[in-house]
Amino acid sequence: MLNSKRLVLAHFWLAFIVFAVALPLGAWQMLVRSPLHSWLRDPELYYRSVTEHGTVMGYVFPTLIAMGFGYSVAELALKRTLVGVRWAWAGFALIALGAVAASVPVAMGRASVLYTFYPPMIGNVFYYLGVVLVVVGSWIWVALMSVNLAAWKRDNPGKTVPLAMFATVAGAYLWGWTAVGAAIEVIFQILPVALGFKTTIDAGLARVFFSWTLHAIVYFWLMPAYIAYYTIVPRAIGGRLYSDAMARISFILFLVVSMPIGIHHLFADPQVGSGFKFVQSVFTSLVAVPTLLTVFTISASVEIAARLRGGKGAFGWLAALPWENPQMLALAFSFVMLGFGGAGGLINMSYQLDSTVHNTQWITGHFHLIFAGAIVTMYFAIAYDLWPHLTGRALTNWRLMRWQLWLWFVGMIVTTFPWHWVGILGMPRRMAYYDYSDPALAGQAMWVAMSAIGGIILVISAILFFVVLIQGHRAPRTEPGTYRFSTAVHESPSVPVALNGFALWIALMIGLTVVNYGYPIMQLVTRGDTAVPAITIGAQR
Amino acid sequence: MSDERLFSLANPWFRVSVGAVAGVVLVSAAVGFVWLPSVQRDPQFQGVWNAICSAAGVPRQWLAGKAIAPSYRISDVQVTPQLLADASAQSIGRGATLSLRCTMCHGEKGMSQANTPNLAGQSAIVVYKQMRDFASGARQNAAMSPMVHGLGDQDLRDLAVYYASLPRPVPVRAVDAPGAPDIVVHGAPMRNVPACAACHGGIDEKAGSPWLDGLPAAYTKAQLLNFANGARHNDTSEQMRNIARNMTRGEIDAAAAWYASITR
């Protein structure tokens, strides 16, 4: 039962439209700084593009996907109409307005501060106001997810919250809390300067606040992908979820340990003590636990599907999987990229090893492999799965979907593997041009050219993605049938109260934030000698 | 299920989750705040309390001895983008009167005919900082050092905002025009030399960096050579000395000639 189809479709379409704007910018960036292109005469254009690409891909695109998917889960899993549809539209409007408000100053070259803001650089005030509107719009979604769960619990006392909704609300709470860091930074530190009330800013404190948001935002991006792993893929390939409890534990672990670990982004920053860096490094390593639990559970679920289809042997069952099914293909690609990306992440989170890759292309390669690779592949899969239920028209062109997923996978590998490699060779990130004629860099030229070709493959894949969706809108009307999520092998009538609500986990999340961030923040807030002059970006030419 | 109490030591989920989180915090804190810093041999880390404070990031004096002072006087002007941002008409008027003493070299409207810098439209921060540095001895010049002698801080501010208020010579060729030297547009990335235009206008303008458009080539070249050999040392944090040292003679000539040629 999906009543708010227009709401969900609006979120997905706006998400994919902004994605279509930002993706070619990324491909252009790869091209102009590769040896395939002469040096840009105006490198500022490059930073404009990086800022827009990051702002859209980091804040607007995944937020809209999480919201649209969340609204559909609330209706499909709870089997009731969404409470607060008008509020949901208001949140959507805020995000649309915010995306435009932020993008215009960026396009004009007035806010080339990158999506990580980087005070003491200060851009045009409308850029920050736009980002704030996006976050406020998403907080409306957080509140609505909470309200809808509470309303369902009130009407269904003692019943087990459906897994899809449980996971969605975990993602909402995670985002609600993790966005607070950047919100504090923008509202209390950056906006007073951008509005002209202040001329100095504590850049170190701003970085600490941003790190609060910066790492867990990745898990917010990741949540829809994980929800799809657990609740869509096993059903779509004709299998069963291996363990419902394991899924709940994974989402809870994300909620608790993924947030207070962002200081691993500040390993090279002098304003945070080494003790806090070590503690957060340890907690970062714990995030591997829910991911490994997920990989195990989903692999087991997939094996169940294969054996139900007659698969035999220790590995022979792999051949029995429905590889023609785009959902199967998406999952496999996503896991491969998650595996490589996760292995690279273990290096980034290690206090000592990180110094060898700090600020190099390795980092860019890492987060593109995880986000643009493992996660966005599942966004495609979610769209393919939901589209017939949103439009009332079938998506039948599996062949084109497979082409699209293959190209995205190949493109992402071709893009990111060379990035990792040149990062190890020492190539810094965020540069508009490199002197490949110098013997020290000449050996990297081929790899950079290769990754630029990967960017072009990704653009082609995105075009196919739009062709699939538009074909869907033009297909004849059909009755898509009842939507259902995966069912577990062993459906238990009840779960422990700890796995049916969030009170304990939110308490641990906030408590751990206070322990891991309290002192570094208070230390910088109370010192009088930490502010530096703000540097206005794009003021004069 | 509904009568099961969550926040209770009787609940195994509560016991295990809170216990595990607290355990990881305590063990990692013991390692990160006590054990690892204690491995350091420097006196600042000796003892548990010192180890914890250093790991927590409490600011400490690291250098045991005294810092080595440079053999020359360094600039004491703190350059911020907001310095001199609020010039009054009165201040500009006073500056116009005071500028009469400058006209012999810098021209009656700030346009030089004598291989000295044009001051018309120059950033007020730049003019102010250079005069302060001449006054303090951080920058030395046989003509300028005596000229600023006897001028107070307000006089220097007035002069700076007056010259900033005059019309700047307009460049007729932008950095993306054909013929712009690589050193101006791109710098030399492998030698740590940023593009001139990244700070001096054309791509971006940074506080404390002068406009170079129309500057006499002989002057620009002389300054770059002086930065390179250390004769001029009033640049903030050695920025220009580090750049000029890594430029070739050819690049210095090309940059100086380019900036002299781009105004009418």
Side-chain angles (χ1 to χ4, degrees):
Chain A
M1 187 182 76
L2 195 51
N3 292 320
S4 306
K5 289 176 187 157
R6 283 165 61 89
L7 177 74
V8 175
L9 259 183
H11 280 80
F12 274 107
W13 263 120
L14 184 59
F16 292 134
I17 287 169
V18 295
F19 168 78
V21 172
L23 180 71
L25 290 178
W28 176 80
Q29 287 155 221
M30 311 227 30
L31 186 68
V32 294
R33 60 182 195 64
S34 79
L36 304 175
H37 194 279
S38 60
W39 287 0
L40 271 188
R41 302 296 279 189
D42 186 355
E44 200 278 329
L45 284 177
Y46 178 80
Y47 294 103
R48 253 184 242 197
S49 179
V50 175
T51 306
E52 180 68 4
H53 179 80
T55 303
V56 166
M57 294 302 206
Y59 298 136
V60 187
F61 170 55
T63 305
L64 284 165
I65 296 285
M67 291 168 72
F69 189 40
Y71 291 135
S72 54
V73 166
E75 292 202 331
L76 294 168
L78 301 182
K79 300 191 168 47
R80 48 195 277 157
T81 306
L82 188 75
V83 177
V85 172
R86 281 174 184 227
W87 281 101
W89 278 111
F92 174 77
L94 285 180
I95 290 189
L97 187 65
V100 174
S103 297
V104 170
V106 173
M108 292 167 67
R110 296 302 172 97
S112 303
V113 295
L114 310 196
Y115 93 111
T116 36
F117 305 143
Y118 284 131
M121 292 200 290
I122 296 291
N124 184 281
V125 66
F126 286 100
Y127 172 68
Y128 304 108
L129 290 175
V131 173
V132 168
L133 287 183
V134 170
V135 172
V136 171
S138 71
W139 275 343
I140 292 180
W141 168 76
V142 172
L144 285 178
M145 288 299 101
S146 183
V147 165
N148 276 278
L149 180 65
W152 181 88
K153 276 188 162 180
R154 199 173 52 237
D155 298 341
N156 298 273
K159 282 200 184 163
T160 303
V161 177
L163 174 63
M165 188 62 184
F166 184 81
T168 300
V169 177
Y173 287 146
L174 174 66
W175 173 240
W177 181 240
T178 197
V180 168
I184 293 174
E185 181 198 1
V186 171
I187 293 169
F188 293 106
Q189 291 198 275
I190 294 179
L191 278 179
V193 183
L195 287 166
F197 299 134
K198 277 184 71 183
T199 56
T200 59
I201 187 164
D202 184 344
L205 178 62
R207 288 173 64 83
V208 173
F209 276 128
F210 195 78
S211 81
W212 168 329
T213 297
L214 183 57
H215 201 69
I217 196 174
V218 178
Y219 297 100
F220 166 62
W221 300 338
L222 193 91
M223 282 293 184
Y226 271 51
I227 296 168
Y229 289 162
Y230 281 108
T231 67
I232 293 181
V233 175
R235 180 262 299 153
I237 62 170
R240 288 257 183 149
L241 177 60
Y242 176 69
S243 166
D244 177 273
M246 199 91 99
R248 287 169 198 265
I249 291 171
S250 297
F251 287 109
I252 282 165
L253 281 172
F254 273 127
L255 194 54
V256 177
V257 297
S258 79
M259 198 261 117
I261 60 175
I263 282 180
H264 74 241
H265 289 254
L266 306 182
F267 281 156
D269 279 38
Q271 80 278 17
V272 178
S274 62
F276 289 100
K277 291 173 180 170
F278 180 79
V279 170
Q280 299 213 10
S281 177
V282 170
F283 274 96
T284 311
S285 66
L286 287 185
V287 183
V289 175
T291 293
L292 292 176
L293 278 182
T294 300
V295 170
F296 176 82
T297 310
I298 299 305
S299 298
S301 309
V302 169
E303 186 180 343
I304 290 170
R307 298 212 184 271
L308 285 173
R309 293 164 61 92
K312 296 265 186 290
F315 295 101
W317 56 270
L318 284 166
L321 284 168
W323 291 106
E324 73 289 353
N325 187 330
Q327 298 293 335
M328 184 64 233
L329 210 53
L331 175 74
F333 291 154
S334 182
F335 266 29
V336 170
M337 293 189 276
L338 189 68
F340 282 113
L346 293 178
I347 289 166
N348 307 343
M349 57 129 260
S350 309
Y351 194 176
Q352 308 299 324
L353 285 176
D354 174 71
S355 59
T356 60
V357 293
H358 174 73
N359 241 356
T360 67
Q361 294 287 6
W362 169 281
I363 305 298
T364 331
H366 164 74
F367 69 75
H368 277 84
L369 195 50
I370 292 274
F371 176 45
I375 297 174
V376 171
T377 295
M378 292 312 292
Y379 289 179
F380 296 143
I382 290 169
Y384 289 157
D385 192 63
L386 279 180
W387 228 250
H389 298 269
L390 294 169
T391 60
R393 298 160 198 270
L395 287 186
T396 51
N397 200 344
W398 279 19
R399 191 183 148 82
L400 197 59
M401 291 184 207
R402 286 196 300 268
W403 266 100
Q404 187 267 321
L405 292 167
W406 266 109
L407 284 175
W408 191 262
F409 175 66
V410 171
M412 200 50 78
I413 297 287
V414 173
T415 303
T416 57
F417 277 33
W419 256 352
H420 279 86
W421 174 239
V422 294
I424 293 174
L425 297 179
M427 185 180 195
R429 62 190 284 212
R430 299 190 176 118
M431 306 283 275
Y433 46 79
Y434 300 84
D435 187 355
Y436 301 106
S437 68
D438 189 286
L441 296 197
Q444 300 174 15
M446 185 184 70
W447 299 102
V448 179
M450 196 186 292
S451 73
I453 292 167
I456 295 165
I457 299 174
L458 291 171
V459 172
I460 296 170
S461 169
I463 293 170
L464 295 189
F465 175 68
F466 284 102
V467 171
V468 171
L469 292 193
I470 292 166
Q471 276 184 351
H473 280 280
R474 296 162 68 95
R477 283 199 168 276
T478 55
E479 173 48 50
T482 310
Y483 189 90
R484 63 178 192 86
F485 293 100
S486 312
T487 43
V489 175
H490 303 288
E491 291 271 25
S492 66
S494 72
V495 295
V497 67
L499 296 184
N500 207 37
F502 295 99
L504 174 59
W505 314 116
I506 289 175
L508 278 176
M509 172 177 81
I510 293 177
L512 207 49
T513 310
V514 172
V515 169
N516 282 0
Y517 270 101
Y519 182 81
I521 289 174
M522 285 318 295
Q523 185 196 24
L524 291 167
V525 166
T526 52
R527 287 183 66 88
D529 56 355
T530 51
V532 293
I535 307 293
T536 312
I537 295 298
Q540 280 181 303
R541 282 288 129 72
Chain B
M1 183 186 87
S2 49
D3 44 332
E4 185 185 338
R5 278 191 61 207
L6 183 57
F7 288 89
S8 152
L9 285 176
N11 189 318
W13 290 92
F14 180 83
R15 275 202 316 274
V16 170
S17 61
V18 175
V21 169
V24 174
V25 168
L26 289 175
V27 170
S28 57
V31 175
F33 284 86
V34 180
W35 185 30
L36 290 181
S38 304
V39 176
Q40 306 268 358
R41 288 282 143 247
D42 310 59
Q44 297 92 331
F45 296 100
Q46 298 310 304
V48 171
W49 186 240
N50 270 337
I52 293 175
C53 286
S54 62
V58 176
R60 330 170 50 84
Q61 183 74 37
W62 279 84
L63 188 62
K66 280 183 71 177
I68 301 165
S71 58
Y72 49 83
R73 205 181 161 83
I74 56 169
S75 176
D76 57 0
V77 183
Q78 292 189 11
V79 173
T80 69
Q82 293 78 28
L83 182 67
L84 299 169
D86 45 358
S88 67
Q90 252 188 332
S91 177
I92 293 171
R94 281 197 302 267
T97 310
L98 286 168
S99 75
L100 291 175
R101 61 166 66 200
C102 316
T103 51
M104 189 183 291
C105 298
H106 291 286
E108 58 174 325
K109 281 287 187 183
M111 292 302 287
S112 159
Q113 304 293 326
N115 279 348
T116 57
N118 298 324
L119 298 180
Q122 186 55 271
S123 149
I125 300 170
V126 170
V127 178
Y128 172 69
K129 178 178 186 296
Q130 297 308 317
M131 289 192 296
R132 277 273 303 266
D133 288 350
F134 282 126
S136 72
R139 184 177 177 187
Q140 286 161 335
N141 178 276
M144 279 305 294
S145 297
M147 284 302 285
V148 294
H149 186 74
L151 291 175
D153 186 63
Q154 188 58 49
D155 298 330
L156 302 185
R157 288 170 185 265
D158 295 343
L159 274 167
V161 295
Y162 163 68
Y163 278 116
S165 73
L166 297 177
R168 181 157 73 95
V170 185
V172 289
R173 283 198 286 167
V175 285
D176 52 2
D182 270 354
I183 191 71
V184 169
V185 188
H186 297 299
M190 293 304 286
R191 278 179 279 135
N192 263 347
V193 179
C196 307
C199 295
H200 293 284
I203 293 171
D204 206 345
E205 213 269 328
K206 305 277 163 60
S209 312
W211 300 106
L212 302 181
D213 310 338
L215 205 61
Y219 178 79
T220 311
K221 182 177 173 179
Q223 298 311 309
L224 284 169
L225 293 175
N226 282 346
F227 276 128
N229 65 28
R232 185 175 166 187
H233 41 64
N234 70 325
D235 49 329
T236 308
S237 306
E238 291 201 43
Q239 287 174 58
M240 277 311 298
R241 273 171 284 174
N242 283 325
I243 288 169
R245 281 182 201 126
N246 287 324
M247 289 171 75
T248 63
R249 286 297 290 261
E251 286 167 343
I252 288 176
D253 289 338
W258 167 259
Y259 278 110
S261 73
I262 57 171
T263 52
R264 258 191 287 269

